[in-house]
């Protein structure tokens, strides 16, 4: 039945979200433990060293081995940042599923939305790696990426980015219409033309970067409804507010790397990290009442209300704890809780509105 299908879809979103949380927990835990220093960052700033020149990419020989082609395919996949791409697609799926009335899910539209969003997001991530390849060479955790390590040529990455982006936009246009396509194009443009260069100039980059990160659920909403209404904007606001403490926690965990690469992330100094922790707690406090708006707008009931309050208070307490006594373990805890918070909230909303 349509109701069963909706419940199954929401449960799938939740299950995939927990899987993604476990994967990112493993990556973040290992990365944070390997990064220099285990205490809050000092207030001393060092002048970034000149990036080492990426090694020249080695072209595949004619008749190259299957292993060589598999390695090249793996490097191309790495350009797309599949972990981030998965989360982007997940939020677009949630936006569509929440917007579509039970029994009104159009499978062809949904598939076009997911595939188009995945391709445009992959193109944006590939473009980000292309633009930041010299800065990635300065950071321990990114120095082995395909471009700074010299396994791929910039021209290859540029062509790959163009194919992914144009293919994704074409698919969105054909399968979902002009509005989701325009939102996808706007997200791509803001990510590469605004957020990426701002990372080296101002700590405001996090606020700007949160805009394209909040657009995928709005794309899903527009694909299902053909327009944007207050509930769609609420989803956008939830994603926007959630990203600030999420990314501030990441920036603190990798502050040494960001400082070495010359990125103007707020937590690269002790004073900046303290400000970021306080701002993170402020955004957590703003997020809680916003997540209650779906109930006020009639799009959710008691199950979602209970989930939103419980998750919101847990997220807020984690943010306040980090703001009061800033430390790497508390920053890591806030980051991991953020990974659990968002998909759980969206999945519960998708199930409860039936």
């Amino acid at each position: 039945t349509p109701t069963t299908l909706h419940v199954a879809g929401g449960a799938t979103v939740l299950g995939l979200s927990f899987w993604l949380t476990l994967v990112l927990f493993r990556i973040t835990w290992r990365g944070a433990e390997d990064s220099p220093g285990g205490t809050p960052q000092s207030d001393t700033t060092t002048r970034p060293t000149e990036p080492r020149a990426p090694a020249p990419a080695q072209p595949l020989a004619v008749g190259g081995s299957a292993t060589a082609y598999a390695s090249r395919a793996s490097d191309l996949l790495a350009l797309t940042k599949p972990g981030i791409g998965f989360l982007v697609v997940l939020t677009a799926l949630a936006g569509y599923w929440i917007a579509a009335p039970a029994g009104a899910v159009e499978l062809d539209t949904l598939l076009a939305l997911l595939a188009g969003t995945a391709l445009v997001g992959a193109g944006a991530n590939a473009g980000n790696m292309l633009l930041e390849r010299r800065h990635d060479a300065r950071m321990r955790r990114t120095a082995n990426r395909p471009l700074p390590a010299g396994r791929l040529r910039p021209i290859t990455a540029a062509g790959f980015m163009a194919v992914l982006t144009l293919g994704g936009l074409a698919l969105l246009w054909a399968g979902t219409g002009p509005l989701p396509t325009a939102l996808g194009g706007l997200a791509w443009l803001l990510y590469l033309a605004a957020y990426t260069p701002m990372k080296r100039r101002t700590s405001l980059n996090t606020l700007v970067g949160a805009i394209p990160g909040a657009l995928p659920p709005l794309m899903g909403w527009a694909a299902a409804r053909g327009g944007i209404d207050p509930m769609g904007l609420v989803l956008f606001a939830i994603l926007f507010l959630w990203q600030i403490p999420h990314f501030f926690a990441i920036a603190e965990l990798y502050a040494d790397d960001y400082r070495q690469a010359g990125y103007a992330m707020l937590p690269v100094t002790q004073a900046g990290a303290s400000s970021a922790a306080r701002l993170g707690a402020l955004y957590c406090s703003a997020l809680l009442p916003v997540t209650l708006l779906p109930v006020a707008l009639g799009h959710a009931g008691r199950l979602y209300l209970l989930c939103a309050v419980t998750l919101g208070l847990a997220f807020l307490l984690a943010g306040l704890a980090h703001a009061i006594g800033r430390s790497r373990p508390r920053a890591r805890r806030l980051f991991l809780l953020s990974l659990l918070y968002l998909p759980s909230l969206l999945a519960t909303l998708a199930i409860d509105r039936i």
Side-chain angles (χ1 to χ4, degrees):
T1 65
T3 299
T4 302
L5 180 61
H6 249 68
V7 173
T12 300
V13 171
L14 185 58
L16 290 174
S17 302
F18 286 141
W19 173 82
L20 178 64
T21 300
L22 291 175
V23 170
L24 292 180
F25 173 87
R26 182 183 176 194
I27 293 172
T28 305
W29 181 272
R30 285 168 45 189
E33 290 299 317
D34 292 340
S35 63
T39 57
Q41 307 304 321
S42 68
D43 196 26
T44 303
T45 55
T46 58
R47 184 177 180 179
T49 59
E50 288 299 318
R52 70 171 184 267
Q58 299 297 321
L60 285 177
V62 176
S65 67
T67 301
Y69 283 109
S71 177
R72 181 59 58 90
S74 177
D75 284 335
L76 289 173
L77 178 63
L79 283 183
T80 68
K81 302 182 183 179
I84 295 176
F86 182 83
L87 189 59
V88 167
V89 172
L90 197 65
T91 59
L93 169 62
Y96 183 92
W97 211 265
I98 294 167
V105 173
E106 298 180 3
L107 188 58
D108 54 346
T109 301
L110 177 59
L111 292 178
L113 168 72
L114 300 182
T117 301
L119 289 174
V120 173
N125 288 329
N128 174 262
M129 281 207 188
L130 175 64
L131 294 174
E132 295 186 341
R133 64 190 184 279
R134 297 189 180 278
H135 301 273
D136 281 346
R138 301 180 183 184
M139 299 195 294
R140 217 165 100 181
R141 72 183 181 91
T142 58
N144 196 43
R145 283 176 173 175
L147 287 168
R151 296 192 303 274
L152 288 177
R153 296 175 176 177
I155 188 64
T156 303
F160 188 55
M161 173 196 69
V163 169
L164 290 172
T165 303
L166 293 176
L169 291 174
L171 193 54
L172 286 172
W173 182 273
T176 67
L179 182 54
T181 307
L183 293 172
L186 177 62
W188 185 93
L189 186 63
L190 287 174
Y191 188 69
L192 293 182
Y195 168 68
T196 297
M198 286 180 69
K199 286 171 68 177
R200 299 186 293 277
R201 293 178 174 85
T202 172
S203 60
L204 293 176
N205 67 77
T206 304
L207 292 176
V208 174
I211 298 174
L215 285 174
L218 202 55
M219 293 169 61
W221 189 275
R225 295 288 181 100
I228 298 174
D229 56 26
M231 183 58 198
L233 295 177
V234 168
L235 290 178
F236 174 88
I238 290 173
L239 263 290
F240 179 86
L241 294 171
W242 167 83
Q243 287 177 88
I244 308 304
H246 171 77
F247 284 118
F248 277 165
I250 294 175
E252 179 161 350
L253 290 173
Y254 295 111
D256 286 339
D257 266 356
Y258 285 128
R259 185 187 305 114
Q260 181 70 15
Y263 287 129
M265 310 304 289
L266 188 57
V268 298
T269 65
Q270 185 168 345
S274 297
S275 296
R278 291 193 295 269
L279 283 172
L282 180 63
Y283 276 90
C284 287
S285 65
L287 179 61
L288 180 55
V290 172
T291 59
L292 304 183
L293 290 177
V295 179
L297 293 173
H299 284 272
R302 294 180 180 178
L303 175 63
Y304 170 78
L305 178 62
L306 177 63
C307 178
V309 171
T310 303
L311 288 172
L313 288 175
F315 199 32
L316 175 58
L317 289 175
L320 288 173
H322 181 51
I324 294 170
R326 188 175 59 83
S327 66
R328 288 175 62 83
R330 289 183 176 182
R332 187 185 296 117
R333 190 178 304 119
L334 179 61
F335 168 71
L336 294 173
L337 182 58
S338 73
L339 290 177
L340 180 64
Y341 172 90
L342 182 67
S344 299
L345 186 79
L346 294 179
T348 306
L349 180 57
I351 294 172
D352 188 49
R353 66 174 299 274
I354 300 169

